[in-house]
Amino acid sequence: MVKSFWKRTRETMSSFVVNNVAGESGRKLPQYVAGLAASGGALAAGTFLGWTSPAEYPLVQQQEYGFPISAEEFSWIGSTANLGAALMCFPIGIMMKMIGRKWAMLTMVLPLLLGWLLIIFANNVGMLIAGRFFLGVGGGAFCIAGPTYTAEIAQASIRGTLGTFFQLLVTIGILFVYAVGAGVSVQVLSIICGVIPIAFGLIFFFMPESPHYFIEKNRDDDTSKSLKWLRGSRYDERAEIEELKADDAKMREEKITFVQSFQQRATVRALIIALGLMFFQQVSGINAVIFYTTTIFNDANTGLEATAATIIVGVIQVVATLLATFIVDKAGRRILLLISDFFMAVSTILLAVYFQLKEDDASQVENIGWLPVLAVCLFIAMFSIGFGPIAWLMIGELFANNVKAYVSPLAGAFNWLLSFLVTKVFTNLRDALGIAGVFWLFSGLSLLGTVFVFFLVPETKGISLAEIQRMLSGEKVRRSSGHSNQGMEEDEKTASH
């Protein structure tokens, strides 16, 4: 009965008439449905990322689970998920090649379920830490598999739009946890979160496998069926299959070893830029702000209910991420990164000043309780239009296709490990430096990141992937006006002499 329902739904979708874009044929609605279904994994990832914020106070201060949890222990609970995510960056790539993108993602429902079950029934700190680790394994895998699947099922004219679904659903997942966590116990919240991967699995089970996977396995009939599902039953898939075969043959022909990939100047420079963006993304303090939003508002003593303030922050994050999807191809990557990092520094300076005044004399801040709320909202908004989505977007643009298999997991693992480090040491830094000192540190690192972007990060808007590789190799490439990069141009001049 369920299968017949999905069959009727697919036939209905196939009957929609959509105007051709850029000479392409085929229906777009089934691709949107498959892309949204895949992004259900992002929703699940967002819930585990946001969970620590509403959970910290009830678990640590109120001992809601019936056993004591220290601030140090909770820092391990909060950060261990990042270790699980970092560990999955390389295995998920292997799984996608062996069993396909679809089944690799469906398999990740199991660690997510295990993680939530351990948290729901936890009777000691060890179970909470283990649960968070398994949530990281499942959620971290989605952060690589989801965008890969979405990019491979979409036609070029809608690939960019479908590509924004993942980051958007992550932020919606965080907002969902903030909102639900304000009204229910931690255990009930965890039960609700545990339902999401089950719902994802039930929906995504009926989606097609990526046609790219079938091409890799020389399964032409299955490729045809997949494309018919995605483009509509009347779509003539033969030309697209031939194109996919040609791309696959070229990839095999250009395949190089891990060592050879790092002997290319373009790869080395791209890796420096990519790891730099990952580094400054994380040391801006974003995960510390997300994980400990409630604590920040409690410490700030704003007079605003901390849970309400947290929900406001979640809404701003969703709206700003949605805004970024519309402006990134118009404004350009580099200018948004510069604006983002500079104003994140301004935000953390405002937080540092507020808490410094509060430490010196609490009466000084009695009438400016709105300041930390404004600063955190500005921080989240600026992160979400720049360093949040664009750092990941540029990973896909900076590397040549024949080295992406090596460097993309490397960049992902580096990001999650940094996220673990920042989340773990936030509590320790707060104890050692005071909360004001922590935000002074974050602001200094964000200003350093702004300098890094100005001198080292090129503008990739309006430049083909092949031209980006030539630019990174030191050749002069014609750029869109207004988006020059002084650091790159000086290096190109040196290379030309």
Side-chain angles (χ1 to χ4, degrees):
M1 183 175 175
V2 176
K3 285 188 177 180
S4 63
F5 166 76
W6 280 101
K7 186 178 179 183
R8 288 196 304 273
T9 303
R10 185 167 64 84
E11 287 171 352
T12 302
M13 290 188 300
S14 295
S15 68
F16 278 81
V17 177
V18 180
N19 291 332
N20 291 352
V21 181
E24 293 177 348
S25 59
R27 308 294 184 252
K28 304 299 185 292
L29 187 60
Q31 297 168 59
Y32 280 110
V33 170
L36 277 171
S39 296
L43 189 68
T47 58
F48 94 76
L49 286 171
W51 179 88
T52 48
S53 187
E56 183 183 21
Y57 186 78
L59 293 182
V60 177
Q61 303 297 327
Q62 299 176 333
Q63 294 190 18
E64 191 179 285
Y65 265 31
F67 54 89
I69 301 172
S70 68
E72 172 66 18
E73 287 171 333
F74 194 82
S75 72
W76 280 105
I77 293 168
S79 59
T80 305
N82 299 302
L83 277 183
L87 286 173
M88 275 307 292
C89 285
F90 290 95
I92 190 63
I94 297 168
M95 288 177 67
M96 285 193 293
K97 282 197 170 292
M98 287 179 60
I99 62 175
R101 287 57 156 163
K102 174 183 173 178
W103 284 102
M105 284 197 283
L106 285 173
T107 303
M108 289 305 105
V109 171
L110 297 176
L112 284 172
L113 274 180
L114 177 58
W116 286 120
L117 285 171
L118 283 166
I119 288 172
I120 290 164
F121 296 107
N123 53 29
N124 57 62
V125 172
M127 287 181 71
L128 289 171
I129 291 174
R132 291 284 296 169
F133 176 82
F134 284 111
L135 290 179
V137 167
F142 276 125
C143 290
I144 290 178
T148 300
Y149 175 86
T150 304
E152 290 182 351
I153 64 164
Q155 288 174 289
S157 60
I158 59 170
R159 187 175 298 132
T161 304
L162 261 63
T164 63
F165 286 175
F166 195 87
Q167 182 72 18
L168 185 62
L169 266 289
V170 168
T171 61
I172 289 172
I174 293 170
L175 173 59
F176 174 80
V177 170
Y178 285 177
V180 175
V184 300
S185 68
V186 174
Q187 190 171 47
V188 171
L189 173 64
S190 303
I191 291 169
I192 294 169
C193 290
V195 172
I196 292 175
I198 297 173
F200 160 78
L202 290 173
I203 294 168
F204 192 63
F205 177 80
F206 296 98
M207 299 300 114
E209 176 57 87
S210 162
H212 287 251
Y213 170 71
F214 288 135
I215 287 291
E216 289 171 7
K217 299 297 181 183
N218 295 315
R219 292 163 59 177
D220 290 4
D221 288 345
D222 289 324
T223 306
S224 178
K225 289 175 186 174
S226 176
L227 287 171
K228 289 280 191 187
W229 197 107
L230 292 163
R231 314 284 190 258
S233 58
R234 296 180 183 177
Y235 177 69
D236 187 350
E237 75 283 8
R238 288 171 294 184
E240 187 170 354
I241 289 176
E242 290 307 312
E243 186 181 345
L244 288 172
K245 283 183 174 180
D247 289 343
D248 184 61
K250 187 179 179 185
M251 283 281 290
R252 293 175 192 272
E253 186 181 327
E254 294 177 350
K255 189 174 181 180
I256 59 175
T257 65
F258 182 81
V259 174
Q260 286 173 331
S261 68
F262 291 99
Q263 292 172 346
Q264 300 176 345
R265 186 184 182 199
T267 302
V268 173
R269 295 184 74 185
L271 188 63
I272 291 169
I273 295 165
L275 295 184
L277 289 174
M278 296 288 102
F279 176 79
F280 287 112
Q281 182 198 67
Q282 288 302 324
V283 299
S284 69
I286 179 60
N287 276 334
V289 172
I290 288 178
F291 285 13
Y292 298 103
T293 302
T294 305
T295 305
I296 289 168
F297 282 105
N298 278 331
D299 286 353
N301 193 25
T302 59
L304 182 67
E305 181 69 34
T307 50
T310 305
I311 292 169
I312 291 169
V313 168
V315 171
I316 289 169
Q317 190 176 26
V318 172
V319 172
T321 304
L322 191 59
L323 176 65
T325 65
F326 293 112
I327 65 174
V328 69
D329 281 325
K330 294 181 177 67
R333 283 76 159 137
R334 187 167 173 268
I335 188 65
L336 287 176
L337 286 171
L338 287 168
I339 292 170
S340 170
D341 218 13
F342 177 76
F343 281 101
M344 282 195 291
V346 170
S347 305
T348 44
I349 287 171
L350 290 174
L351 284 168
V353 168
Y354 176 87
F355 285 111
Q356 192 75 61
L357 290 171
K358 187 170 183 282
E359 286 171 15
D360 295 341
D361 182 2
S363 64
Q364 295 183 86
V365 297
E366 284 178 358
N367 297 320
I368 55 170
W370 50 267
L371 184 62
V373 178
L374 174 67
V376 170
C377 290
L378 178 64
F379 181 94
I380 292 292
M382 289 298 101
F383 179 85
S384 299
I385 68 162
F387 255 86
I390 294 173
W392 289 107
L393 171 65
M394 291 193 75
I395 298 295
E397 293 181 331
L398 290 170
F399 295 106
N401 283 334
N402 60 348
V403 301
K404 276 182 184 174
Y406 304 125
V407 290
S408 293
L410 186 64
F414 182 68
N415 185 281
W416 283 109
L417 286 171
L418 276 172
S419 178
F420 162 75
L421 185 65
V422 172
T423 310
K424 174 65 191 73
V425 303
F426 177 78
T427 304
N428 308 96
L429 285 172
R430 190 175 59 188
D431 293 340
L433 304 175
I435 196 162
V438 173
F439 285 116
W440 282 121
L441 177 62
F442 286 150
S443 63
L445 289 166
S446 290
L447 288 173
L448 192 60
T450 308
V451 174
F452 172 83
V453 172
F454 184 82
F455 285 106
L456 287 176
V457 177
E459 178 56 71
T460 56
K461 174 200 166 190
I463 303 175
S464 72
L465 297 180
E467 287 173 329
I468 291 171
Q469 291 308 302
R470 291 205 302 274
M471 177 176 64
L472 291 169
S473 297
E475 297 178 30
K476 194 163 185 65
V477 174
R478 185 165 56 91
R479 298 183 182 85
S480 304
S481 70
H483 293 292
S484 63
N485 182 292
Q486 190 65 36
M488 280 288 178
E489 288 177 353
E490 289 298 329
D491 197 47
E492 287 165 3
K493 287 175 187 173
T494 305
S496 65
H497 287 312

